[in-house]
Amino acid sequence: MLFFGSGVQSPRRRSQEKAIFCTILIVYALYFLFFSGSSEHAHIDTSAHDAVSKGGPYRDSRSGQAAPSASAARQGKALDKEMVVASTKSDDVSWLYQYFPEWHKSIYVVDDKKAQLTVKQNKGRESMVYLTYIIDNYDNLPDSILFIHPQRYQWHNDDPYYDGVPVLRNFQLPYLQKQGYVNLRCAWTLGCPAEIHPYTDPHRKDVHAGEYFKHGFEELFPGEEVPEEVGVSCCAQFAVTSWKIRERPKKDYERYRKWLTETKLADEHSGRIMEYSWHMIFGKGPVHCPTAEECYCKVFGLCDLDCPTEGECAGRYVLPPYSSLPDGWPYIGWKGQKQDPSKGLPEA
């Protein structure tokens, strides 16, 4: 601590004290200038985080669900990474804000014409959202884009508990930047090694695009030869870079959307045709089925797995008995039993 006493002092002593006093003033000024600005940013970030659980700018007070973030929020600044989500009014997407605040989000609400982000026609399932985003943002795309579904827990997610959080947390962005396109599913269950045979698939009662795929392919990719087999792990959740998207001209994506709008195919069939076309749109061959071992390691950084077959690694994914998960999942299992997702695997 410094004390400034009274009495006779030499000119040199007075000059030293003045210098010390000026130094203290400058330090205090810099302190308040710097930390007051930092406090303001901290306050803004905290408010945005609180909005996830308490309401606010990311929530729709009418539905209680997270509302979409607008592309206008870019404010002219180039984005590094963005999540594009195809949702409905009933979907709770607050988990995306809670666990991934560092990602910009474009959350489309397909059944709400008043939503900040929506589509002109709710058709073709998630494909209409994905194409609308690409077309509207073609000249201003972020480096890395995740195209995903809205639910945190859903059977589409490649995780033992079908949890989207570890899937997205483990995703390896550097690998995406090298590849351009990466599927978010590694298990071959549904889709691989060859889900669709355009020339030979018979009519099936379940939702399957096989018998419609040949004609759909010819309209989507005019002049290209229809492949004998098509295979990719389901279910239309993937990541793409801006440079990969722009390898095709914007008019291609506009043609895909026009086909989706005008086709007389049922919604589930047109959406399924698009589901098994995205990998080809982004430059992969008709059959794109990397081994599960390679996929889990390169896409999610899980490199010490026991993988008994090409399409399966132990403990990673089991096709559930029903498409809807039980109420209370992941803490309540298929038979109503209690389970702890932090310990062991769920009962199949």
Side-chain angles (χ1 to χ4, degrees), residues 64-338:
Q65 308 299 337
S69 60
S71 293
R74 300 169 186 269
Q75 297 179 345
K77 181 180 179 182
L79 296 172
D80 292 329
K81 51 189 181 181
E82 180 160 33
M83 293 177 174
V84 178
V85 186
S87 75
T88 64
K89 288 188 291 186
S90 62
D91 291 321
D92 183 358
V93 295
S94 60
W95 65 280
L96 293 171
Y97 292 97
Q98 179 179 358
Y99 292 101
F100 303 99
E102 73 279 12
W103 285 77
H104 186 270
K105 302 162 193 69
S106 285
I107 299 179
Y108 289 75
V109 186
V110 298
D111 56 350
D112 184 0
K113 294 302 181 183
K114 296 181 180 179
Q116 293 179 12
L117 292 176
T118 187
V119 290
K120 292 183 179 179
Q121 187 175 1
N122 181 15
K123 191 179 180 185
R125 300 190 172 179
E126 69 281 315
S127 297
M128 185 64 76
V129 167
Y130 295 177
L131 289 169
T132 297
Y133 172 85
I134 291 173
I135 293 168
D136 291 348
N137 297 281
Y138 186 84
D139 297 319
N140 190 31
L141 292 167
D143 296 335
S144 303
I145 310 162
L146 286 171
F147 293 89
I148 59 175
H149 300 160
Q151 300 90 355
R152 174 178 176 180
Y153 295 100
Q154 53 170 325
W155 72 268
H156 296 167
N157 289 333
D158 200 328
D159 176 78
Y161 282 91
Y162 317 112
D163 187 352
V165 170
V167 171
L168 299 181
R169 275 182 174 168
N170 291 331
F171 184 71
Q172 304 293 300
L173 280 172
Y175 182 67
L176 169 64
Q177 283 299 317
K178 292 180 181 179
Q179 293 293 308
Y181 160 86
V182 170
N183 195 357
L184 292 184
R185 189 174 169 98
C186 295
W188 283 18
T189 305
L190 298 184
C192 285
E195 175 72 14
I196 294 176
H197 301 82
Y199 292 97
T200 59
D201 276 339
H203 174 74
R204 286 165 49 172
K205 292 183 179 180
D206 59 344
V207 180
H208 190 267
E211 64 177 308
Y212 310 105
F213 194 89
K214 181 177 182 294
H215 185 60
F217 183 94
E218 291 171 338
E219 293 184 323
L220 289 171
F221 305 98
E224 295 188 28
E225 185 177 355
V226 179
E228 296 284 343
E229 296 179 329
V230 177
V232 68
S233 293
C234 83
C235 300
Q237 294 193 110
F238 51 84
V240 191
T241 62
S242 56
W243 62 264
K244 176 57 70 175
I245 289 176
R246 293 197 188 102
E247 284 185 348
R248 287 187 176 273
K250 184 178 180 179
K251 64 181 180 181
D252 279 6
Y253 301 103
E254 293 171 336
R255 184 178 71 253
Y256 304 148
R257 188 170 66 175
K258 186 174 185 293
W259 173 82
L260 201 62
T261 301
E262 296 178 353
T263 182
K264 295 181 180 180
L265 290 174
D267 187 57
E268 60 266 24
H269 292 127
S270 62
R272 190 62 59 87
I273 289 173
M274 287 300 303
E275 175 184 339
Y276 286 96
S277 298
W278 286 114
H279 65 293
M280 292 183 285
I281 288 173
F282 297 125
K284 300 298 183 182
V287 175
H288 177 61
C289 295
T291 65
E293 182 177 18
E294 176 188 5
C295 178
Y296 283 123
C297 183
K298 293 182 176 179
V299 178
F300 299 112
L302 303 172
C303 299
D304 297 319
L305 302 177
D306 175 22
C307 304
T309 67
E310 284 186 305
E312 177 188 11
C313 291
R316 287 306 311 166
Y317 185 85
V318 175
L319 187 68
Y322 307 102
S323 59
S324 297
L325 302 179
D327 290 338
W329 185 272
Y331 304 101
I332 301 297
W334 294 104
K335 300 177 181 179
Q337 79 280 12
K338 293 182 179 180

Side-chain angles (χ1 to χ4, degrees), residues 18-65:
K18 288 181 179 179
I20 294 172
F21 183 74
C22 290
T23 301
I24 293 174
L25 287 178
I26 292 172
V27 170
Y28 270 100
L30 291 173
Y31 176 88
F32 284 109
L33 179 63
F34 179 82
F35 283 100
S36 62
S38 298
S39 298
E40 181 181 359
H41 288 296
H43 176 71
I44 292 173
D45 291 341
T46 301
S47 298
H49 183 271
D50 289 346
V52 174
S53 57
K54 300 178 182 178
Y58 298 123
R59 295 182 72 83
D60 184 338
S61 60
R62 294 169 298 176
S63 66
Q65 308 299 337

